[in-house]
C-alpha cells in the first residue's frame, strides 16, 4: 500500500462512541464505554491498516476564532454528560500508550487542524484518510482524500458525498451554510433544509452567486423547486446570515502546526504500555484481540498475560473454531441447468441461509445484484443477476433466476435463516415471491440478546471471533470505490457466500443465547413474524394529500410571520429568533426573566427553557410557540411532500425493529412517531393522510394500555377495579388522591391525577411532576405520597421492580424481553437514578410494545383470511391505521378491535378505540 496519512477526529469520535455504545463500567463503577469504543477503533486501525502516518486530533476548548464571527456559535451545546467527562483523559492515555501523536491548539477546532494536515499531506503526495463522521470534514474529500466512518463501516469519496448531499465536496460548505446546524448554532437560512440547499447550489454553483442572483432562483430550464417564491424571499431577508454561516462552516487550512508531517510517521506500539492501560480500564475483549501477539510478553505485574476474567456484562461466547466458516470455493451459477441442480440439492437440506445482495437504495428500490444460498454439507452458491461491468460474463436475469428459486424460497421447508429478513421480504415481493419458512434472523436475535447495540453482520460475527468482511472492504474506498453491481463475480461470490454461511452459523449461536435468556417464544412468535408484517406495511404505504400540506404550510408561514412581528412589538425592536445570543439579551438582560439553565457559553434558550419561561412573560410564550411551529413546518409540511414515491403516489415510511431498547418500533423517511396527537396543528397534519378513492381509513388505538399493563403487573386492587368498571381512571385516581367523591372531581384535579398516572410509568420524580404541573416541588411530593398511600400495590410493585433488577442487572417485560441495566451498580448517582427509572418503566412500556407487535401479527393474519382487500398502513405508538373498502370499513374495524382486545389476557380488560374516516384526523 502506498503511504497514507490517517487523521482521527478524536473529539468527534468520543462523543459518537459515548452515544452509540453500551454504557460499560469497570467493576468499581467507573464509566468506560466511550474510551472502549475509541480503543477498539484505534486497535483496528493499527492491526488492519498499519498506516504510514497517523495522528489523533482533539478540540482544545470551548472557544475558537469562530466566536469572533458569531458569539452565539455553539452557544446551545450542553456540557458533556458527567459519565463522559472523565473519559477524555482515558482516551488520551490510550492514544499515548499506542505511541500515536495527538494534537490540539487553542483558538482552533480539531476540524481546522485536520484540514491543515490534509493540505500539507496532499502537497507532499500523501493520500489522506480522515476517520470521522463529521459532515463538515466532508468538504475536504477529493480523489486523494476520503472520509471513513468506522462505526457505520462507510467510506466517503467524492461520489458518496455527492450522493448524500447532492453537490460536490467543494460545494458542500455552501450547502451547510444555507441549511445551518442546530447543534453548532450555525443559523443558516430559516426554512431551507438539505434538499432545498442542494437545489440552490445545483442551480447557481455557489452561495455567493445564489445571493447575487436570487431573483433567478427556480427559473433555470428543467429545474423545479417547490415554494421558489418563498425561498427567494428568505434568501433576500437572510443573506447576511447566510454569509456569516458560510464563514462559520469554512475550514481553516493554514493553522500554525507545531510539527512537520514527518513527526506523524507511525511507530510500532509499545505492547507493554497498551496491555497495562487495557488492564487498568478492564478492556477484556480488546486484551483478547492482543493475545496472539502478547501471550509471550511479560505483563506489568510479571509473568504472562492472564486470561481475561469472566464478566457479567460479557458472558462466555462459543469458541470461534466452532463457528469457523467454510473456505470452500463458492459455486457461481450462471445458467438454468446448473441452477436447477443447485435448487434440487438445497431443497433436500433441513436449513439454508439466504442472502440478497443489492445495489444502493432502500430494499423497495435497490437493484438486485445476486442471491447467495448456503446449507451445511454443501458449497455456498451465488447466483449473479445484476453485475454490470466491462467483460462481465453472461448471467441469468433476475426474473428468470428467481422464478426457478421460487419453490425453494416460498416453501416452509427448508427452514431459512436470513439476516435482515424484513428487507428480504421486500426485495422478493418485487419479483412476486412470498418468502416463507424464515426461522432465524441474526439482527433480530442480536437485538434480543443486547438491545442497546445491534451492529451489522460483521459486527455480530465479531462477537464470536469470526472475521467477516464489510461491504466497504470489498467495494473499496475513495477513488477505488465502486458500486456493488460492478464487482467482479468471483469477488462478489466469495463475499456473499461467506456472509450466507455466517448468517446460518452465527444465528444458531445467537438463538441459543436467546433461548437461555428465556426469550425463545418472543423471538419465534413475535419478532420474526413481525418482520414480514412490517414489510407488508412498508410496501403498501399511505396516500398523502400534498395540496393540503402546501395550503397548511402557507397558513403556518403567515402565522410564523405574525408571531415574529408580535415578538418584535413586545420587545420594542427587531431580533433574530434563531439567534441564541439575541434571545439571551432579550429574555434575561432586557426583560429580567430568571435564568433556568446555563451552558459553557452562557444562559440556555433551548425549548425546555422557553417552556418554563412561557408562563412568566408573553414574549417567552410567543418565542416558544414560534419555535414549536417552525419545527413542525420543517419536519412535516416541508419534508413530507418530497417523500412521496412518484411510482405509487404514496409515502412508504420505513420501520425498524432493532433500534429502541424498550422494544418499541421506530420509523424513518418519514418519522411519523412525533406528530403531535392532541394539538390542532397535529390534527391538520393528519388530515393530509387520506384514503384511496373508494376506501376509508380505519384507526384503532389502544386506550391507556400502559396503565392497564401497570394494573395487571402490580395487582393493585384500586387500579384494577377502576378498569374493570370501565371508569374514567384519571377521575377515579383524582377522587382517591384528593379524598372526594368522583362527581366532585374538578378538571384541575383530574389533570393532576393524569400527570401522576402517566408520570409514574416513566419514573417521574417530584421535581418532574412539579415542572409538568407548574407547582412547587413540595406540593408535587404531597400528591405523589397521597397516590402511593392509596395505591399501595403500585408503590410496592415499583420498589420490587428496582430491587429485582438490582439483583439481576436486567429488567424484563411480561413476554420475557430483557434490557440490561449495568448502571444499577454505578457509583454515579445520576447514572444510577436513570437506570432505576429504566428498571421501573421497561416492564410497563416494553410489555405494551410487545402486545402491540403481537396484535399487528394477529390483525394481519385475520386481514389475509377475512378481508384481503384491506391493508395495514401505519403503526404509530399504540395505534394501527388501516385502509378498507368503504363497504367493509365497519366490519374491518370490528375485526381489528376484537383481535387487539383479545391479544393477551390481563387482569383488566384491554380496550381499543376505533374510528373510521376519509382521513387520519377524521378517524
Amino acid at each position: 500500500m502506498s503511504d497514507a496519512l490517517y487523521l482521527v477526529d478524536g473529539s468527534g469520535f468520543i462523543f459518537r462512541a459515548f452515544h452509540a455504545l453500551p454504557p460499560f463500567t469497570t467493576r468499581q463503577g467507573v464509566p468506560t464505554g466511550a474510551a472502549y469504543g475509541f480503543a477498539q477503533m484505534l486497535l483496528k486501525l493499527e492491526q488492519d491498516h498499519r498506516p504510514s502516518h497517523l495522528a489523533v486530533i482533539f478540540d482544545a476548548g470551548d472557544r475558537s476564532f469562530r466566536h469572533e464571527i458569531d458569539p452565539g456559535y455553539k452557544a446551545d451545546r450542553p456540557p458533556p454528560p458527567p459519565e463522559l467527562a472523565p473519559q477524555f483523559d482515558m482516551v488520551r492515555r490510550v492514544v499515548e500508550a499506542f505511541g500515536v501523536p495527538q494534537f490540539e491548539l487553542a483558538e482552533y477546532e480539531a476540524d481546522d487542524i485536520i484540514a491543515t494536515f490534509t493540505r500539507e499531506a496532499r502537497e507532499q503526495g500523501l493520500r489522506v484518510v480522515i476517520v470521522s463522521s463529521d459532515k463538515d470534514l466532508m468538504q475536504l474529500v477529493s480523489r486523494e482524500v476520503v472520509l471513513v466512518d468506522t462505526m457505520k463501516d462507510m467510506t466517503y469519496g467524492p461520489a458518496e458525498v455527492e450522493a448524500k448531499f447532492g453537490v460536490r465536496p467543494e460545494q458542500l460548505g455552501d450547502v451547510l451554510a444555507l441549511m445551518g446546524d442546530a447543534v453548532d448554532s450555525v443559523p443558516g437560512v430559516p426554512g431551507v433544509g438539505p434538499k432545498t440547499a442542494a437545489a440552490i447550489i445545483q442551480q447557481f454553483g455557489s452561495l455567493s452567486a445564489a445571493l447575487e442572483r436570487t431573483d433567478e432562483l427556480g427559473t433555470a430550464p428543467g429545474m423545479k423547486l417547490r415554494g421558489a417564491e418563498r425561498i427567494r424571499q428568505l434568501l433576500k431577508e437572510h443573506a447576511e446570515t447566510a454569509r456569516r454561516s458560510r464563514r462559520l462552516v469554512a475550514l481553516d487550512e493554514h493553522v500554525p502546526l507545531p510539527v512537520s508531517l514527518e513527526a506523524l510517521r507511525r511507530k510500532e506500539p509499545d505492547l507493554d504500555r497498551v496491555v497495562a492501560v487495557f488492564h487498568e480500564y478492564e478492556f477484556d475483549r480488546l486484551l483478547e484481540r492482543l493475545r496472539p501477539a502478547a501471550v509471550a510478553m511479560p505483563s506489568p505485574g510479571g509473568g504472562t498475560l492472564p486470561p481475561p476474567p469472566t464478566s457479567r456484562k460479557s458472558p462466555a461466547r462459543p469458541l470461534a473454531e466452532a463457528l469457523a466458516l467454510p473456505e470452500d470455493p463458492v459455486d457461481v451459477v450462471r445458467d438454468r441447468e446448473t441452477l436447477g441442480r443447485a435448487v434440487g440439492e438445497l431443497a433436500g437440506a433441513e436449513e439454508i441461509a439466504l442472502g440478497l445482495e443489492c445495489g444502493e437504495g432502500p430494499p423497495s428500490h435497490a437493484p438486485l445484484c445476486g442471491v447467495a444460498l448456503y446449507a451445511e454439507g454443501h458449497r455456498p452458491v451465488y447466483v449473479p443477476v445484476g453485475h454490470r461491468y466491462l467483460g462481465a460474463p453472461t448471467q441469468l436475469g433476475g426474473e428468470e433466476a428467481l422464478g426457478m428459486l421460487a419453490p425453494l424460497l416460498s416453501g416452509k421447508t427448508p427452514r431459512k435463516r436470513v439476516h435482515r429478513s424484513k428487507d428480504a421480504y421486500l426485495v422478493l415481493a418485487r419479483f412476486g415471491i412470498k418468502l416463507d419458512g424464515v426461522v432465524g434472523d441474526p439482527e433480530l436475535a442480536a437485538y434480543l440478546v443486547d438491545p442497546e447495540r445491534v451492529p451489522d453482520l460483521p459486527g455480530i460475527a465479531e462477537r464470536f471471533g469470526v472475521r467477516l468482511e464489510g461491504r466497504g472492504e470489498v467495494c473499496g474506498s475513495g477513488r477505488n470505490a465502486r458500486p456493488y453491481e460492478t464487482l467482479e463475480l468471483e469477488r462478489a461470490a466469495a463475499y456473499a457466500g461467506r456472509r450466507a454461511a455466517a448468517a446460518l452459523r452465527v444465528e444458531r449461536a445467537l438463538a441459543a443465547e436467546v433461548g437461555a435468556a428465556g426469550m425463545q417464544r418472543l423471538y419465534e412468535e413475535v419478532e420474526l413474524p413481525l418482520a414480514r408484517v412490517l414489510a407488508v406495511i412498508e410496501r403498501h404505504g399511505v396516500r398523502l394529500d400534498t395540496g393540503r400540506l402546501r395550503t397548511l404550510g402557507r397558513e403556518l408561514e403567515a402565522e410564523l410571520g405574525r408571531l415574529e412581528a408580535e415578538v418584535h412589538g413586545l420587545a420594542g425592536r427587531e431580533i433574530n429568533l434563531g439567534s441564541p445570543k439575541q434571545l439571551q439579551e432579550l429574555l434575561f438582560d432586557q426583560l429580567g426573566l430568571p435564568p433556568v439553565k446555563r451552558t459553557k457559553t452562557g444562559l440556555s434558550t433551548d425549548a425546555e427553557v422557553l417552556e418554563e419561561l412561557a408562563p412568566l412573560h408573553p414574549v417567552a410564550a410567543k418565542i416558544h410557540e414560534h419555535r414549536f411551529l417552525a419545527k413542525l413546518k420543517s419536519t412535516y409540511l416541508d419534508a413530507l411532500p418530497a417523500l412521496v414515491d412518484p411510482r405509487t403516489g404514496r409515502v412508504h415510511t420505513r420501520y425498524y425493529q432493532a433500534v429502541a431498547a424498550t422494544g418499541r418500533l421506530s420509523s424513518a423517511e418519514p418519522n411519523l412517531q412525533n406528530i403531535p396527537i392532541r394539538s390542532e396543528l397535529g390534527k391538520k397534519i393528519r388530515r393530509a393522510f387520506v384514503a384511496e378513492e373508494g376506501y376509508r381509513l380505519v384507526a384503532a388505538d389502544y386506550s391507556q394500555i400502559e396503565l392497564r399493563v401497570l394494573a395487571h403487573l402490580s395487582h393493585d386492587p384500586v387500579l384494577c377495579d377502576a378498569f374493570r368498571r370501565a371508569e374514567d381512571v384519571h377521575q377515579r385516581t383524582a377522587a382517591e388522591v384528593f379524598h372526594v367523591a368522583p362527581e366532585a372531581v374538578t378538571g384541575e384535579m383530574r389533570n393532576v391525577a393524569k400527570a401522576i398516572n402517566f408520570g409514574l410509568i416513566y419514573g417521574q420524580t417530584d421535581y418532574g411532576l412539579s415542572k409538568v404541573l407548574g407547582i412547587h416541588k413540595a406540593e408535587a411530593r404531597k400528591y405523589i405520597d397521597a397516590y402511593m398511600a392509596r395505591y399501595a400495590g403500585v408503590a410496592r410493585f415499583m420498589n420490587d421492580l428496582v430491587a429485582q433488577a438490582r439483583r439481576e442487572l436486567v429488567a424484563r417485560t411480561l413476554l420475557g424481553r430483557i434490557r440490561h441495566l449495568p448502571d444499577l451498580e454505578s457509583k454515579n448517582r445520576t447514572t444510577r437514578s436513570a437506570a432505576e427509572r429504566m428498571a421501573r418503566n421497561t416492564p410497563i412500556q416494553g410489555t405494551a410494545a410487545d402486545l402491540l407487535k403481537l396484535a399487528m401479527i394477529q390483525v394481519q393474519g385475520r386481514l389475509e383470511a377475512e378481508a384481503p382487500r384491506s391493508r395495514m398502513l401505519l403503526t404509530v405508538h399504540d395505534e394501527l391505521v388501516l385502509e378498507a373498502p368503504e363497504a367493509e370499513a365497519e366490519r374491518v374495524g370490528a375485526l381489528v378491535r376484537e383481535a387487539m382486545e383479545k391479544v393477551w389476557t390481563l387482569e383488566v380488560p384491554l380496550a381499543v378505540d376505533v374510528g373510521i374516516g376519509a382521513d387520519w384526523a377524521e378517524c
Side-chain angles (χ1 to χ4, degrees), residues 709-720 760 786-801 844:
V709 168
L710 173 61
H712 172 81
L713 295 175
S714 68
H715 308 293
D716 185 274
V718 180
L719 195 57
C720 288
L760 197 70
Y787 180 96
M788 292 303 186
R790 193 67 189 90
Y791 293 89
V794 171
R796 184 168 53 250
F797 170 67
M798 289 296 186
N799 291 333
D800 289 347
L801 282 179
I844 302 166

Side-chain angles (χ1 to χ4, degrees), residues 58-203:
F58 295 103
D59 286 321
D62 294 329
R63 295 195 63 80
S64 74
F65 67 88
R66 291 178 177 84
H67 289 87
E68 301 301 320
I69 300 172
D70 187 343
Y73 178 66
K74 292 190 176 181
D76 285 336
R77 273 203 174 186
E83 314 91 89
L84 176 59
Q87 297 189 59
F88 284 93
D89 287 337
M90 291 183 189
V91 167
R92 285 179 167 84
R93 285 196 60 201
V94 167
V95 176
E96 184 180 353
F98 273 93
V100 175
Q102 48 186 307
F103 301 95
E104 57 185 69
L105 289 174
E107 296 298 316
Y108 295 98
E109 296 182 41
D111 290 3
D112 303 307
I113 302 173
I114 290 172
T116 303
F117 272 131
T118 297
R119 176 185 57 77
E120 292 199 353
R122 292 305 314 127
E123 290 173 356
Q124 296 185 31
L126 281 176
R127 293 188 306 108
V128 180
V129 178
I130 300 170
V131 181
S132 176
S133 62
D134 190 345
K135 62 182 181 297
D136 292 339
L137 288 170
M138 292 184 187
Q139 299 177 73
L140 301 173
V141 167
S142 68
R143 290 183 61 186
E144 296 81 18
V145 180
V146 298
L147 183 142
V148 175
D149 182 346
T150 58
M151 297 187 75
K152 287 188 174 180
D153 194 22
M154 284 289 296
T155 298
Y156 292 90
E160 288 76 17
V161 172
E162 187 164 1
K164 183 177 179 68
F165 292 99
V167 296
R168 300 186 304 276
E170 62 269 25
Q171 298 173 307
L172 179 55
D174 292 336
V175 167
L176 297 177
L178 283 167
M179 59 188 272
D181 188 335
V183 175
D184 288 346
S185 302
V186 176
V189 176
V192 173
K195 291 185 178 180
T196 302
I200 293 170
I201 301 305
Q202 286 165 5
Q203 177 178 351

Side-chain angles (χ1 to χ4, degrees), residues 276-408:
V277 171
F278 282 12
H279 263 303
E280 180 181 348
Y281 297 146
E282 300 178 12
F283 293 165
D284 300 335
R285 293 188 193 177
L286 299 187
L287 281 169
E288 189 69 20
R289 288 176 58 179
L290 286 171
R291 189 167 306 282
V295 71
M297 298 289 292
S299 69
T304 57
L305 187 67
T310 301
S311 166
R312 181 165 37 197
K313 295 187 282 278
S314 302
R317 304 296 187 192
L319 294 175
E321 290 78 9
L323 293 168
L325 301 183
E327 298 299 334
D328 297 336
V330 179
D331 288 334
V332 181
V333 176
R334 298 189 292 109
D335 60 77
R336 291 181 61 85
E337 183 180 353
T338 310
L339 181 56
R341 284 199 302 270
V343 169
E345 291 174 5
L346 291 172
E350 289 187 4
E351 291 185 342
I352 64 172
L354 167 68
L356 300 174
E357 299 299 335
C358 296
E360 289 300 312
S364 57
H365 297 77
L368 178 63
C369 301
V371 180
L373 299 158
Y374 175 73
E376 295 289 5
H378 298 263
R379 287 175 21 166
V381 171
Y382 185 66
V383 187
V385 298
H387 287 269
R388 304 285 180 262
Y389 58 90
L390 188 63
T394 303
Q395 304 154 56
L396 292 171
E399 296 281 354
E400 184 178 16
L402 286 170
M404 295 182 67
L405 288 168
L408 187 71

